[in-house]
Coordinates of all heavy atoms in Angstrom, one line a residue:
G1 N -13.0 7.3 -21.2 CA -12.0 7.9 -22.1 C -10.8 7.2 -22.2 O -10.5 6.2 -21.6
V2 N -10.0 7.7 -23.1 CA -8.6 7.2 -23.4 C -7.6 8.0 -22.5 O -7.7 9.2 -22.5 CB -8.4 7.2 -24.8 CG1 -6.9 6.8 -25.0 CG2 -9.3 6.4 -25.7
A3 N -6.8 7.3 -21.8 CA -5.7 7.8 -21.0 C -4.6 8.5 -21.9 O -4.3 8.0 -22.9 CB -5.1 6.9 -20.1
P4 N -4.2 9.7 -21.5 CA -3.0 10.2 -22.3 C -1.7 9.4 -22.3 O -1.7 8.6 -21.4 CB -2.7 11.5 -21.6 CG -3.9 11.8 -20.7 CD -4.6 10.5 -20.4
A5 N -1.0 9.4 -23.3 CA 0.2 8.6 -23.5 C 1.1 8.8 -22.2 O 1.2 9.9 -21.7 CB 1.0 9.0 -24.7
G6 N 1.7 7.7 -21.7 CA 2.5 7.8 -20.5 C 1.7 7.7 -19.2 O 2.4 7.8 -18.2
S7 N 0.4 7.7 -19.2 CA -0.4 7.6 -18.0 C -0.9 6.3 -17.8 O -0.8 5.4 -18.7 CB -1.5 8.7 -18.0 OG -2.5 8.4 -19.0
V8 N -1.3 5.9 -16.6 CA -1.9 4.7 -16.2 C -3.3 4.9 -15.6 O -3.5 5.8 -14.8 CB -1.0 4.0 -15.2 CG1 -1.6 2.7 -14.8 CG2 0.4 3.7 -15.7
E9 N -4.3 4.3 -16.0 CA -5.6 4.4 -15.5 C -5.7 3.5 -14.2 O -5.1 2.3 -14.3 CB -6.7 3.9 -16.5 CG -6.9 5.0 -17.7 CD -8.0 4.6 -18.5 OE1 -8.9 4.0 -18.1 OE2 -8.0 5.0 -19.7
A10 N -6.3 4.0 -13.3 CA -6.5 3.2 -12.0 C -7.9 3.3 -11.5 O -8.6 4.4 -11.7 CB -5.5 3.7 -11.0
D11 N -8.3 2.4 -10.7 CA -9.6 2.5 -10.0 C -9.6 3.4 -8.8 O -10.7 4.0 -8.5 CB -10.1 1.2 -9.6 CG -10.4 0.2 -10.7 OD1 -10.9 0.7 -11.8 OD2 -10.2 -1.0 -10.6
G12 N -8.4 3.7 -8.3 CA -8.3 4.6 -7.1 C -6.9 4.7 -6.6 O -6.1 3.9 -6.8
V13 N -6.7 5.7 -5.7 CA -5.6 5.9 -5.0 C -5.9 6.1 -3.6 O -6.8 6.9 -3.3 CB -4.7 7.1 -5.6 CG1 -3.5 7.4 -4.7 CG2 -4.3 6.9 -7.0
V14 N -5.3 5.5 -2.6 CA -5.7 5.5 -1.3 C -4.6 6.2 -0.4 O -3.5 5.8 -0.4 CB -5.9 4.1 -0.7 CG1 -6.4 4.2 0.7 CG2 -7.1 3.5 -1.6
L15 N -5.1 7.2 0.4 CA -4.3 7.9 1.4 C -2.8 8.1 1.0 O -1.9 7.5 1.5 CB -4.3 7.1 2.7 CG -3.9 7.8 4.1 CD1 -4.7 9.0 4.2 CD2 -3.9 6.9 5.2
C16 N -2.6 9.1 0.2 CA -1.3 9.4 -0.3 C -0.8 10.8 0.3 O -0.1 11.5 -0.4 CB -1.2 9.4 -1.8 SG -1.6 7.8 -2.5
T17 N -1.4 11.2 1.4 CA -1.2 12.6 1.8 C -0.4 12.8 2.9 O 0.0 13.9 3.4 CB -2.6 13.3 2.1 OG1 -3.2 12.5 3.1 CG2 -3.4 13.3 0.8
G18 N 0.1 11.8 3.7 CA 0.9 12.1 4.9 C 1.1 10.9 5.8 O 0.7 9.8 5.5
P19 N 1.6 11.2 6.9 CA 2.1 10.2 7.9 C 0.9 9.6 8.8 O 1.2 8.8 9.7 CB 3.1 10.8 8.8 CG 2.6 12.3 8.8 CD 2.1 12.5 7.4
D20 N -0.3 9.9 8.6 CA -1.4 9.3 9.5 C -1.6 8.0 9.0 O -2.2 7.8 8.0 CB -2.6 10.2 9.5 CG -3.7 9.7 10.3 OD1 -3.5 8.6 11.0 OD2 -4.8 10.2 10.3
D21 N -1.1 7.0 9.8 CA -1.1 5.6 9.3 C -2.1 4.8 10.1 O -2.1 3.6 10.1 CB 0.2 4.9 9.2 CG 0.9 4.9 10.7 OD1 0.2 5.4 11.6 OD2 1.8 4.2 10.8
S22 N -3.0 5.4 10.8 CA -3.9 4.7 11.7 C -5.0 4.0 10.9 O -5.5 4.6 9.8 CB -4.7 5.8 12.5 OG -5.7 5.2 13.2
S23 N -5.3 2.8 11.3 CA -6.3 2.0 10.6 C -7.5 1.9 11.4 O -8.3 1.0 11.4 CB -5.8 0.6 10.2 OG -5.4 0.0 11.4
A24 N -7.7 2.9 12.4 CA -8.8 2.9 13.3 C -10.1 2.8 12.5 O -10.4 3.3 11.5 CB -8.8 4.2 14.1
V25 N -11.0 2.0 13.2 CA -12.4 1.8 12.6 C -13.1 3.2 12.4 O -13.0 4.1 13.2 CB -13.3 0.9 13.6 CG1 -14.6 0.8 13.0 CG2 -12.6 -0.5 13.7
G26 N -13.7 3.3 11.3 CA -14.4 4.6 11.0 C -13.6 5.5 10.2 O -14.1 6.5 9.7
R27 N -12.3 5.3 10.0 CA -11.5 6.1 9.1 C -11.6 5.6 7.6 O -11.5 4.4 7.4 CB -10.1 6.1 9.4 CG -9.8 6.6 10.8 CD -8.5 7.6 10.9 NE -8.3 8.4 9.9 CZ -7.4 8.3 9.0 NH1 -6.5 7.2 9.0 NH2 -7.2 9.1 8.1
D28 N -11.9 6.5 6.8 CA -11.9 6.2 5.3 C -10.6 6.7 4.8 O -10.2 7.8 5.1 CB -13.1 6.9 4.6 CG -14.4 6.1 5.1 OD1 -14.4 5.0 5.2 OD2 -15.3 6.9 5.4
P29 N -10.0 6.1 3.8 CA -10.5 5.0 3.2 C -9.8 3.7 3.7 O -10.3 2.5 3.2 CB -9.9 5.1 1.7 CG -8.6 6.0 1.9 CD -9.0 6.9 3.2
I30 N -8.9 3.8 4.7 CA -8.3 2.5 5.2 C -9.4 1.6 5.8 O -9.4 0.4 5.5 CB -7.2 2.9 6.3 CG1 -6.1 3.7 5.6 CG2 -6.6 1.5 6.8 CD1 -5.1 4.2 6.6
A31 N -10.1 2.1 6.6 CA -11.2 1.3 7.3 C -12.1 0.6 6.2 O -12.5 -0.5 6.4 CB -12.1 2.2 8.2
G32 N -12.4 1.3 5.2 CA -13.2 0.8 4.0 C -12.6 -0.4 3.5 O -13.2 -1.5 3.2
L33 N -11.3 -0.3 3.3 CA -10.5 -1.5 2.6 C -10.5 -2.6 3.6 O -10.7 -3.9 3.1 CB -9.1 -1.0 2.4 CG -8.8 -0.2 1.1 CD1 -7.3 0.3 1.2 CD2 -9.1 -0.8 -0.1
I34 N -10.3 -2.4 4.8 CA -10.3 -3.5 5.8 C -11.7 -4.0 6.0 O -11.8 -5.3 6.0 CB -9.8 -3.0 7.2 CG1 -8.2 -2.5 7.1 CG2 -10.0 -4.0 8.3 CD1 -7.7 -1.8 8.2
A35 N -12.7 -3.3 6.0 CA -14.1 -3.7 6.1 C -14.5 -4.6 5.0 O -15.2 -5.6 5.1 CB -15.1 -2.6 6.4
A36 N -14.0 -4.3 3.8 CA -14.4 -5.0 2.6 C -13.5 -6.3 2.4 O -13.7 -7.0 1.5 CB -14.2 -4.0 1.4
G37 N -12.6 -6.4 3.2 CA -11.7 -7.7 3.2 C -10.6 -7.5 2.2 O -9.8 -8.4 1.9
H38 N -10.3 -6.3 1.6 CA -9.3 -6.1 0.7 C -7.9 -5.9 1.4 O -6.9 -5.9 0.7 CB -9.5 -4.8 -0.2 CG -10.7 -4.9 -0.9 ND1 -10.9 -5.9 -2.0 CD2 -11.9 -4.2 -1.1 CE1 -12.1 -5.8 -2.5 NE2 -12.7 -4.7 -2.0
A39 N -7.9 -5.6 2.7 CA -6.7 -5.4 3.4 C -6.9 -5.8 4.9 O -8.1 -6.0 5.3 CB -6.3 -3.9 3.4
R40 N -5.8 -6.1 5.5 CA -5.8 -6.4 7.0 C -5.1 -5.3 7.7 O -4.2 -4.7 7.2 CB -5.0 -7.7 7.2 CG -5.6 -8.9 6.7 CD -5.3 -10.1 7.5 NE -3.9 -10.7 7.1 CZ -3.7 -12.0 7.3 NH1 -4.5 -12.8 7.7 NH2 -2.5 -12.5 6.9
E41 N -5.6 -5.1 9.0 CA -5.0 -4.0 9.8 C -3.4 -4.5 10.0 O -3.2 -5.7 10.3 CB -5.7 -4.0 11.1 CG -5.2 -2.9 12.0 CD -6.0 -2.7 13.3 OE1 -6.2 -3.7 14.0 OE2 -6.6 -1.6 13.4
G42 N -2.6 -3.5 10.1 CA -1.2 -3.7 10.4 C -0.9 -4.0 11.8 O -1.8 -3.6 12.7
F43 N 0.2 -4.5 12.1 CA 0.6 -4.8 13.6 C 0.4 -3.5 14.4 O 0.8 -2.4 14.1 CB 2.1 -5.2 13.7 CG 2.6 -5.5 15.0 CD1 2.3 -6.7 15.7 CD2 3.4 -4.6 15.7 CE1 2.7 -6.9 16.9 CE2 3.9 -4.8 16.8 CZ 3.5 -6.0 17.5
G44 N -0.2 -3.7 15.5 CA -0.3 -2.6 16.5 C -1.3 -1.5 16.1 O -1.3 -0.4 16.5
G45 N -2.1 -1.8 15.0 CA -3.1 -0.9 14.4 C -2.5 0.2 13.6 O -3.1 1.2 13.3
M46 N -1.3 -0.1 13.2 CA -0.5 0.9 12.3 C -0.8 0.5 10.8 O -0.2 -0.5 10.4 CB 1.0 0.9 12.6 CG 1.2 1.5 13.9 SD 3.0 1.7 14.2 CE 3.5 0.0 14.4
G47 N -1.5 1.3 10.1 CA -1.6 1.0 8.7 C -2.3 -0.3 8.3 O -3.1 -0.8 9.0
I48 N -1.8 -0.8 7.2 CA -2.3 -2.1 6.7 C -1.1 -3.1 6.6 O 0.0 -2.6 6.4 CB -3.0 -2.0 5.4 CG1 -2.2 -1.2 4.3 CG2 -4.4 -1.3 5.7 CD1 -2.9 -1.1 3.0
E49 N -1.4 -4.4 6.6 CA -0.4 -5.3 6.4 C 0.1 -5.5 5.0 O -0.8 -5.6 4.1 CB -0.9 -6.8 6.9 CG 0.2 -7.8 7.1 CD -0.3 -9.1 7.7 OE1 -1.3 -9.1 8.4 OE2 0.4 -10.2 7.4
V50 N 1.3 -5.5 4.8 CA 1.9 -5.6 3.4 C 2.9 -6.7 3.4 O 3.5 -7.1 4.3 CB 2.4 -4.3 2.8 CG1 1.4 -3.2 2.8 CG2 3.6 -3.8 3.7
E51 N 3.2 -7.1 2.1 CA 4.3 -8.0 1.9 C 5.6 -7.2 1.9 O 5.8 -6.3 1.2 CB 4.2 -8.7 0.5 CG 5.3 -9.6 0.2 CD 5.1 -10.3 -1.2 OE1 4.7 -9.6 -2.1 OE2 5.5 -11.5 -1.2
P52 N 6.5 -7.6 2.9 CA 7.8 -6.8 3.0 C 8.5 -6.8 1.8 O 8.7 -7.9 1.0 CB 8.5 -7.6 4.2 CG 7.4 -8.0 5.0 CD 6.4 -8.6 4.0
G53 N 9.1 -5.7 1.4 CA 9.9 -5.5 0.2 C 9.1 -5.1 -1.1 O 9.6 -4.5 -2.0
T54 N 7.8 -5.6 -1.2 CA 7.0 -5.2 -2.3 C 5.9 -4.3 -2.0 O 5.5 -3.5 -2.9 CB 6.4 -6.5 -2.9 OG1 5.3 -6.9 -2.2 CG2 7.4 -7.6 -3.3
G55 N 5.4 -4.3 -0.7 CA 4.3 -3.4 -0.4 C 2.9 -3.9 -1.0 O 1.9 -3.2 -0.7
R56 N 2.9 -5.1 -1.5 CA 1.6 -5.7 -1.9 C 0.7 -5.9 -0.6 O 1.2 -6.3 0.4 CB 1.7 -7.0 -2.6 CG 2.4 -7.0 -3.9 CD 2.6 -8.4 -4.5 NE 3.5 -8.5 -5.6 CZ 3.2 -8.7 -6.8 NH1 1.9 -9.0 -7.1 NH2 4.1 -8.7 -7.7
V57 N -0.5 -5.5 -0.8 CA -1.5 -5.5 0.4 C -2.0 -6.9 0.6 O -2.4 -7.4 -0.2 CB -2.6 -4.4 0.1 CG1 -3.6 -4.5 1.2 CG2 -2.0 -3.0 0.0
R58 N -2.0 -7.3 1.9 CA -2.5 -8.6 2.3 C -4.0 -8.4 2.6 O -4.4 -7.7 3.4 CB -1.8 -9.1 3.5 CG -2.2 -10.6 3.8 CD -1.5 -11.1 5.1 NE -0.1 -11.2 5.0 CZ 0.6 -12.3 4.6 NH1 -0.1 -13.4 4.1 NH2 2.0 -12.2 4.6
A59 N -4.7 -9.2 1.9 CA -6.2 -9.2 2.1 C -6.6 -10.1 3.3 O -5.8 -10.7 3.9 CB -6.9 -9.8 0.9
A60 N -7.9 -10.0 3.8 CA -8.4 -10.6 4.9 C -8.1 -12.1 4.8 O -7.8 -12.8 5.9 CB -9.8 -10.3 5.1
D61 N -8.1 -12.6 3.6 CA -8.0 -14.2 3.5 C -6.6 -14.6 3.5 O -6.2 -15.7 3.4 CB -8.6 -14.7 2.1 CG -8.0 -14.1 1.0 OD1 -7.0 -13.3 0.9 OD2 -8.6 -14.4 -0.2
G62 N -5.6 -13.7 3.6 CA -4.2 -13.9 3.8 C -3.4 -13.8 2.4 O -2.2 -13.8 2.3
A63 N -4.2 -13.7 1.2 CA -3.5 -13.6 0.0 C -3.1 -12.1 -0.3 O -3.7 -11.2 0.3 CB -4.5 -14.0 -1.1
F64 N -2.1 -11.9 -1.1 CA -1.6 -10.6 -1.4 C -2.5 -10.2 -2.7 O -2.6 -10.9 -3.6 CB -0.2 -10.5 -1.8 CG 0.7 -10.8 -0.5 CD1 1.3 -12.0 -0.2 CD2 0.8 -9.8 0.5 CE1 2.1 -12.2 0.9 CE2 1.5 -10.0 1.6 CZ 2.2 -11.2 1.8
R65 N -3.0 -8.9 -2.6 CA -3.9 -8.4 -3.6 C -3.1 -8.0 -4.9 O -2.1 -7.3 -4.9 CB -4.6 -7.2 -3.2 CG -5.4 -7.4 -1.9 CD -6.6 -8.2 -2.1 NE -7.5 -7.6 -3.2 CZ -8.7 -8.0 -3.5 NH1 -9.2 -9.1 -2.9 NH2 -9.4 -7.4 -4.4
T66 N -3.6 -8.5 -6.0 CA -3.1 -8.0 -7.3 C -3.6 -6.6 -7.5 O -4.7 -6.3 -7.3 CB -3.5 -8.9 -8.4 OG1 -3.1 -10.2 -8.2 CG2 -3.0 -8.5 -9.8
G67 N -2.7 -5.7 -8.0 CA -3.1 -4.3 -8.4 C -3.4 -3.5 -7.2 O -3.8 -2.4 -7.3
L68 N -2.9 -3.9 -5.9 CA -3.0 -3.1 -4.8 C -1.6 -3.1 -4.0 O -1.3 -4.0 -3.3 CB -4.2 -3.5 -3.9 CG -4.5 -2.6 -2.7 CD1 -4.9 -1.2 -3.1 CD2 -5.8 -3.2 -2.0
V69 N -0.9 -1.9 -4.1 CA 0.4 -1.8 -3.6 C 0.4 -0.5 -2.6 O -0.1 0.6 -3.0 CB 1.4 -1.7 -4.6 CG1 2.8 -1.6 -3.9 CG2 1.4 -2.9 -5.5
A70 N 0.9 -0.6 -1.5 CA 1.0 0.5 -0.5 C 2.4 1.1 -0.4 O 3.3 0.3 -0.6 CB 0.5 0.0 0.8
L71 N 2.5 2.3 -0.1 CA 3.9 2.9 0.1 C 3.7 4.0 1.1 O 2.6 4.5 1.4 CB 4.5 3.4 -1.2 CG 3.8 4.5 -2.0 CD1 4.7 5.6 -2.3 CD2 3.3 3.8 -3.3
G72 N 4.9 4.2 1.8 CA 4.9 5.2 2.9 C 4.4 4.7 4.2 O 4.5 3.5 4.5
A73 N 4.0 5.6 5.0 CA 3.7 5.4 6.4 C 2.7 4.3 6.6 O 2.7 3.6 7.6 CB 3.2 6.7 7.1
I74 N 1.8 4.1 5.7 CA 0.7 3.1 5.7 C 1.3 1.7 5.9 O 0.7 0.7 6.4 CB -0.3 3.1 4.7 CG1 -1.6 2.4 5.0 CG2 0.3 2.7 3.4 CD1 -2.7 2.8 4.0
R75 N 2.6 1.5 5.6 CA 3.3 0.2 5.6 C 4.0 -0.1 7.0 O 4.5 -1.2 7.2 CB 4.4 0.1 4.5 CG 3.8 0.1 3.2 CD 4.8 0.2 2.1 NE 5.9 -0.8 2.1 CZ 6.6 -1.1 0.9 NH1 6.2 -0.5 -0.3 NH2 7.4 -2.1 0.8
R76 N 3.9 0.9 7.8 CA 4.7 0.8 9.2 C 4.3 -0.5 10.0 O 5.2 -0.9 10.8 CB 4.6 2.0 10.0 CG 5.3 3.2 9.4 CD 5.3 4.4 10.1 NE 5.4 4.3 11.5 CZ 5.0 5.2 12.4 NH1 4.5 6.3 12.0 NH2 5.2 5.0 13.7
G77 N 3.1 -1.0 9.9 CA 2.7 -2.2 10.7 C 3.5 -3.4 10.2 O 3.7 -4.4 10.9
S78 N 4.0 -3.4 9.0 CA 4.7 -4.5 8.5 C 6.3 -4.1 8.2 O 7.1 -5.0 8.3 CB 4.2 -5.0 7.1 OG 3.0 -5.3 7.2
E79 N 6.5 -2.8 7.9 CA 8.0 -2.4 7.6 C 8.1 -1.0 8.4 O 7.6 0.0 7.8 CB 8.2 -2.2 6.1 CG 8.1 -3.5 5.3 CD 8.4 -3.3 3.9 OE1 7.7 -2.4 3.4 OE2 9.2 -3.9 3.4
W80 N 8.7 -1.1 9.5 CA 8.8 0.1 10.3 C 9.6 1.3 9.5 O 9.1 2.4 9.6 CB 9.7 -0.2 11.5 CG 9.7 1.0 12.4 CD1 10.8 1.8 12.7 CD2 8.7 1.7 13.2 NE1 10.5 2.8 13.6 CE2 9.2 2.8 13.9 CE3 7.4 1.4 13.3 CZ2 8.5 3.6 14.7 CZ3 6.6 2.2 14.2 CH2 7.1 3.3 14.8
E81 N 10.6 1.0 8.7 CA 11.3 2.0 8.0 C 10.6 2.3 6.7 O 10.9 2.0 5.7 CB 12.7 1.5 7.7 CG 13.6 1.3 8.9 CD 13.9 2.6 9.7 OE1 13.9 3.7 9.1 OE2 14.0 2.4 10.9
S82 N 9.5 3.1 6.9 CA 8.7 3.4 5.8 C 8.2 4.9 5.7 O 7.1 5.2 5.2 CB 7.4 2.5 5.7 OG 7.8 1.2 5.3
I83 N 8.9 5.8 6.3 CA 8.4 7.2 6.5 C 9.4 8.2 5.9 O 9.0 9.4 5.8 CB 8.1 7.6 8.0 CG1 9.3 7.4 8.9 CG2 6.8 6.7 8.3 CD1 9.1 7.9 10.2
A84 N 10.6 7.8 5.6 CA 11.6 8.7 5.1 C 11.6 8.7 3.6 O 11.3 7.7 3.0 CB 12.9 8.4 5.6
I85 N 11.9 9.8 3.0 CA 11.9 10.0 1.5 C 12.8 8.9 0.8 O 12.3 8.4 -0.2 CB 12.3 11.4 1.1 CG1 11.3 12.5 1.6 CG2 12.6 11.5 -0.4 CD1 9.9 12.2 1.1
P86 N 14.0 8.5 1.3 CA 14.8 7.5 0.6 C 14.0 6.2 0.5 O 14.0 5.6 -0.6 CB 16.1 7.4 1.4 CG 16.2 8.8 2.1 CD 14.8 9.1 2.4
E87 N 13.3 5.8 1.6 CA 12.6 4.5 1.6 C 11.4 4.6 0.7 O 11.0 3.7 -0.1 CB 12.1 4.1 2.9 CG 13.3 3.6 3.9 CD 14.0 4.8 4.6 OE1 13.5 5.9 4.6 OE2 14.9 4.5 5.4
I88 N 10.7 5.7 0.8 CA 9.5 5.9 0.0 C 9.8 6.0 -1.5 O 9.1 5.4 -2.4 CB 8.7 7.1 0.4 CG1 8.2 7.0 1.9 CG2 7.6 7.5 -0.5 CD1 7.6 8.2 2.5
R89 N 10.9 6.6 -1.9 CA 11.4 6.6 -3.3 C 11.5 5.2 -3.8 O 11.1 4.9 -4.8 CB 12.7 7.4 -3.4 CG 13.1 7.7 -4.8 CD 14.3 8.6 -4.9 NE 15.3 8.4 -3.9 CZ 15.8 9.4 -3.1 NH1 15.3 10.6 -3.2 NH2 16.7 9.1 -2.1
V90 N 12.2 4.3 -3.1 CA 12.4 3.0 -3.5 C 11.1 2.2 -3.5 O 10.8 1.5 -4.5 CB 13.4 2.2 -2.5 CG1 13.4 0.7 -2.8 CG2 14.8 2.8 -2.6
Q91 N 10.2 2.5 -2.5 CA 8.9 1.8 -2.5 C 8.0 2.2 -3.8 O 7.4 1.4 -4.4 CB 8.1 2.2 -1.2 CG 8.6 1.6 0.0 CD 8.0 2.2 1.3 OE1 7.1 2.9 1.2 NE2 8.5 1.8 2.4
A92 N 8.1 3.5 -4.2 CA 7.4 4.0 -5.3 C 7.9 3.4 -6.6 O 7.1 2.9 -7.4 CB 7.5 5.5 -5.4
E93 N 9.2 3.2 -6.7 CA 9.8 2.5 -7.9 C 9.4 1.1 -7.9 O 8.9 0.6 -9.0 CB 11.3 2.6 -7.9 CG 11.9 2.0 -9.1 CD 13.4 2.1 -9.1 OE1 14.0 2.8 -8.3 OE2 14.0 1.5 -10.0
T94 N 9.4 0.4 -6.8 CA 9.0 -1.0 -6.8 C 7.5 -1.2 -7.1 O 7.1 -2.0 -7.9 CB 9.2 -1.6 -5.3 OG1 10.7 -1.5 -5.1 CG2 8.9 -3.0 -5.3
A95 N 6.7 -0.3 -6.5 CA 5.2 -0.3 -6.8 C 4.9 -0.1 -8.3 O 4.2 -0.8 -8.9 CB 4.5 0.7 -5.9
A96 N 5.7 0.9 -8.9 CA 5.5 1.2 -10.3 C 5.9 -0.1 -11.1 O 5.2 -0.4 -12.0 CB 6.2 2.3 -10.8
R97 N 6.9 -0.7 -10.8 CA 7.3 -2.0 -11.6 C 6.4 -3.0 -11.5 O 6.0 -3.8 -12.4 CB 8.8 -2.4 -11.1 CG 9.9 -1.5 -11.5 CD 11.2 -2.0 -10.9 NE 12.2 -1.1 -11.0 CZ 12.9 -0.9 -12.2 NH1 12.8 -1.7 -13.2 NH2 14.0 0.0 -12.2
I98 N 5.8 -3.3 -10.2 CA 4.9 -4.3 -9.9 C 3.6 -4.0 -10.7 O 3.1 -4.9 -11.4 CB 4.5 -4.5 -8.5 CG1 5.7 -5.0 -7.7 CG2 3.3 -5.2 -8.1 CD1 5.7 -5.0 -6.2
L99 N 3.1 -2.8 -10.5 CA 1.8 -2.5 -11.3 C 1.9 -2.6 -12.8 O 1.0 -3.0 -13.5 CB 1.3 -1.2 -10.7 CG 0.9 -1.1 -9.3 CD1 0.6 0.3 -8.8 CD2 -0.2 -2.1 -9.0
L100 N 3.1 -2.1 -13.3 CA 3.2 -2.2 -14.8 C 3.3 -3.6 -15.2 O 2.8 -4.0 -16.3 CB 4.5 -1.3 -15.2 CG 4.3 0.2 -15.1 CD1 5.7 0.9 -15.3 CD2 3.3 0.6 -16.1
A101 N 4.0 -4.5 -14.5 CA 4.2 -5.9 -14.8 C 2.7 -6.5 -14.8 O 2.5 -7.3 -15.7 CB 5.1 -6.5 -13.9
E102 N 2.0 -6.2 -13.7 CA 0.6 -6.8 -13.6 C -0.2 -6.4 -14.8 O -1.2 -7.1 -15.2 CB 0.0 -6.5 -12.3 CG 0.8 -7.2 -11.2 CD 0.1 -6.8 -9.8 OE1 -0.7 -5.9 -9.7 OE2 0.5 -7.5 -8.8
A103 N 0.0 -5.1 -15.3 CA -0.8 -4.6 -16.3 C -0.4 -5.0 -17.7 O -1.0 -4.8 -18.7 CB -0.8 -3.1 -16.2
G104 N 0.7 -5.8 -17.7 CA 1.3 -6.3 -19.0 C 2.0 -5.2 -19.9 O 2.2 -5.3 -21.0
A105 N 2.4 -4.2 -19.1 CA 3.1 -3.1 -19.9 C 4.6 -3.2 -19.9 O 5.2 -4.1 -19.1 CB 2.8 -1.8 -19.1

């Protein structure tokens, strides 16, 4: 179908519900992203590895994924200060800018 004006169609949204940033094997959807090579486990098993400042997700091959940006606690393996609302607000704005630019909007 056609998306309503002002909305963005996406293939999915991953773990946007709280501070559980574990990437332990068997957890979905993080484990699925890691198993499929779309993401790498973050330092110390915390979340997934991201590009500092942008939140772009680093894939198993070391490249940063287009169209896949993380925010919040899932970034703690790369950026420790990622759990408070002021940081998440900036991350969300940055993610929106990145995804809109990638979509050509």
Side-chain angles (χ1 to χ4, degrees):
V2 176
S7 66
V8 176
E9 289 188 25
D11 292 329
V13 175
V14 179
L15 194 61
C16 296
T17 58
D20 183 0
D21 63 353
S22 171
S23 59
V25 174
R27 292 220 46 248
D28 289 317
I30 299 171
L33 285 173
I34 293 169
H38 298 301
R40 296 204 272 209
E41 184 175 60
F43 178 77
M46 290 186 289
I48 55 179
E49 190 176 337
V50 300
E51 179 179 39
T54 69
R56 290 178 197 246
V57 176
R58 187 183 298 270
D61 65 4
F64 292 105
R65 302 291 300 188
T66 300
L68 188 56
V69 181
L71 56 132
I74 199 168
R75 290 171 63 156
R76 286 179 47 198
S78 298
E79 294 181 309
W80 183 252
E81 296 296 329
S82 289
I83 60 170
I85 295 301
E87 288 87 7
I88 294 171
R89 185 175 40 235
V90 170
Q91 291 172 5
E93 181 180 354
T94 301
R97 289 178 192 274
I98 288 168
L99 295 172
L100 286 171
E102 289 177 355

